[in-house]
Amino acid sequence: MPNPYRPGFNQAPVALAGRHRITAAIDEVLAIAALDARTPRPLALTGPRGVGKTVILGEAASRAADTYAWLTAPVEVRPGRPFLPLLADRLLAIRDLYRQAKPGTRLRVTGATVRASVLGVGGEIALTRDDADRSGRPSLEAALAEACAAADALEAGVVVTIDELQLASKPELGELAATLQEHVPDDWPLVVLLAGLPSLRGSHQGVTYLERAEWHSIGLLDQADTLDALRVPAAMAERPMDDAAAARLAAASGGYPYAIQLMGHHAWRASSGAQEITTEHASAAIPAAQEELAAGLYAARWEDSSQREREYLRALAQLLSLEPRVTGAQVAAALGKPAKAVSWIRESLIQKGTIFPEGDSVRFTIPGLGDWLRSGNDPS
């Protein structure tokens, strides 16, 4: 059997555990647009890297396609690169596809290829577009209007997903928000989902329409959901995981979705040829997964931290070795400073997704990062 666990960027897990609230919200906004014929407010997802924001955007696109046969225009914002022209191009491609389609046609996008099926008869349309020449292209507003009009003619709609939105410039954010806000009264068949790091909450300040979006914080999974994320894929692949093995892997993962998939991946490999995943396999999997975390995520978080942030992280790591919960005031005291003097460092590390707030206490987002720092493995 193939390995049922999916560590890696934008790899949809077999079981999307612990995300029932956000998938219910996605179903609701799709229903508002498709059945109530109203444009819902955007959904905005924030959270640190590795918790599954991109996977959730993909899940929204799949639900729109499977339930309503709606097409999605997905865009990922990249540093220093405008994203609105790319979004306009994707919308124009959707417009063209809807214009080519006939009533009763179901369209599904896979990369640059669209598969169409009518009553079980399939076909494919390959899309090509000259990205080098954007002269004469419609604006975002015009592209949205044309895509929605073409969709509406088929009683269909358009989904827009924008990932890494914290990287967008304020002018582009303002243009996107102004366009959406102006046309809400037009009842376009349009659903918009946005995703970014926690800093997205600050980057949209002054863009009042986005303040009124439906905001969801995507974080760590609790114990029950972590166990489901480990057990369900194994059971579906007909190599069940026993309770003790699941408990050990869950504890080692810390509820961090990427680490859960990584732990399960290595446990599956360790159990090759067995009928069940046991604690023996879990014991072999945990060091292998932690080695991958150290080489990738731990080192990356360290390199992304300033000197003062590194001092804060070291102090937090030492305190967490002594007690399970540590407050920001305790970290400040360990650094010999008033809490207010280091609050900006704490906030910066939270916005980057390196640490995670729990009430007045803080913890490392990625399990094992504190141990890694205490062991002296950091590059400095």
Side-chain angles (χ1 to χ4, degrees):
M1 292 292 292
N3 194 320
Y5 298 95
R6 303 283 184 268
F9 177 74
N10 198 18
Q11 296 292 309
V14 171
L16 190 60
R19 303 306 186 206
H20 308 298
R21 185 170 61 91
I22 184 58
T23 54
I26 290 168
D27 289 340
E28 182 180 10
V29 295
L30 288 171
I32 288 171
L35 306 179
D36 297 348
R38 292 185 289 115
T39 304
R41 56 181 174 155
L43 281 182
L45 316 178
T46 63
R49 299 194 188 282
V51 296
K53 300 184 300 296
T54 303
V55 167
I56 292 171
L57 294 183
E59 177 70 13
S62 294
R63 288 174 181 243
D66 294 341
T67 305
Y68 301 107
W70 284 22
L71 297 179
T72 295
V75 172
E76 179 184 334
V77 183
R78 297 182 181 179
R81 177 179 174 182
F83 75 91
L84 292 184
L86 177 59
L87 175 57
D89 275 357
R90 300 259 167 105
L91 290 165
L92 293 177
I94 286 177
R95 174 204 64 184
D96 295 345
L97 290 167
Y98 277 137
R99 285 178 177 177
Q100 294 173 38
K102 298 178 181 179
T105 301
R106 293 182 65 86
L107 299 171
R108 185 72 181 269
V109 176
T110 304
T113 300
V114 175
R115 292 186 172 88
S117 63
V118 183
L119 300 178
V121 179
E124 292 191 1
I125 306 168
L127 292 178
T128 58
R129 186 175 290 277
D130 182 7
D131 290 329
D133 179 17
R134 300 184 184 275
S135 60
R137 300 277 179 85
S139 65
L140 171 66
E141 182 177 18
L144 262 175
E146 292 178 16
C148 288
D152 198 38
L154 294 174
E155 298 184 349
V158 176
V159 177
V160 170
T161 64
I162 306 176
D163 204 0
E164 301 288 356
L165 191 60
Q166 79 282 348
L167 297 173
S169 67
K170 185 63 72 66
E172 282 205 303
L173 269 180
E175 182 178 346
L176 173 68
T179 300
L180 296 175
Q181 178 172 305
E182 181 178 352
H183 292 283
V184 166
D186 297 337
D187 291 326
W188 281 351
L190 174 67
V191 170
V192 177
L193 294 98
L194 315 171
L197 295 178
S199 57
L200 177 58
R201 282 249 184 211
S203 65
H204 79 275
Q205 288 178 358
V207 184
T208 56
Y209 181 69
L210 293 185
E211 291 174 356
R212 297 191 294 272
E214 182 180 343
W215 290 84
H216 291 264
S217 178
I218 310 299
L220 306 180
L221 299 185
D222 62 21
Q223 175 74 0
D225 290 329
T226 300
L227 291 172
D228 281 347
L230 287 164
R231 287 180 182 141
V232 172
M236 292 175 65
E238 300 182 355
R239 190 187 299 168
M241 182 180 293
D242 70 33
D243 291 346
R248 289 202 62 181
L249 293 169
S253 75
Y256 185 58
Y258 173 74
I260 293 168
Q261 295 299 312
L262 197 60
M263 298 286 172
H265 170 82
H266 282 286
W268 181 269
R269 290 180 61 180
S271 65
S272 178
Q275 299 297 310
E276 185 179 38
I277 301 174
T278 67
T279 53
E280 179 184 355
H281 305 128
S283 297
I286 290 170
Q290 289 174 335
E291 185 176 346
E292 277 201 48
L293 288 169
L297 295 186
Y298 298 166
R301 291 295 187 272
W302 185 254
E303 290 299 323
D304 191 41
S305 302
S306 68
Q307 184 59 41
R308 290 191 177 183
E309 288 171 341
R310 292 177 181 184
E311 292 171 0
Y312 191 101
L313 294 174
R314 284 199 188 99
L316 176 60
Q318 291 301 324
L319 289 169
L320 284 172
S321 69
L322 303 175
E323 50 189 306
R325 295 179 66 86
V326 173
T327 66
Q330 288 175 291
V331 180
L335 293 170
K337 298 182 180 296
K340 288 186 178 179
V342 297
S343 61
W344 67 271
I345 303 176
R346 174 183 180 274
E347 185 60 27
S348 174
L349 290 167
I350 290 172
Q351 296 296 337
K352 289 180 177 181
T354 306
I355 64 176
F356 190 83
E358 290 182 326
D360 63 349
S361 66
V362 289
R363 59 176 285 186
F364 290 104
T365 302
I366 308 170
L369 179 55
D371 293 335
W372 183 74
L373 290 171
R374 287 191 295 271
S375 67
N377 287 323
D378 61 82
S380 61

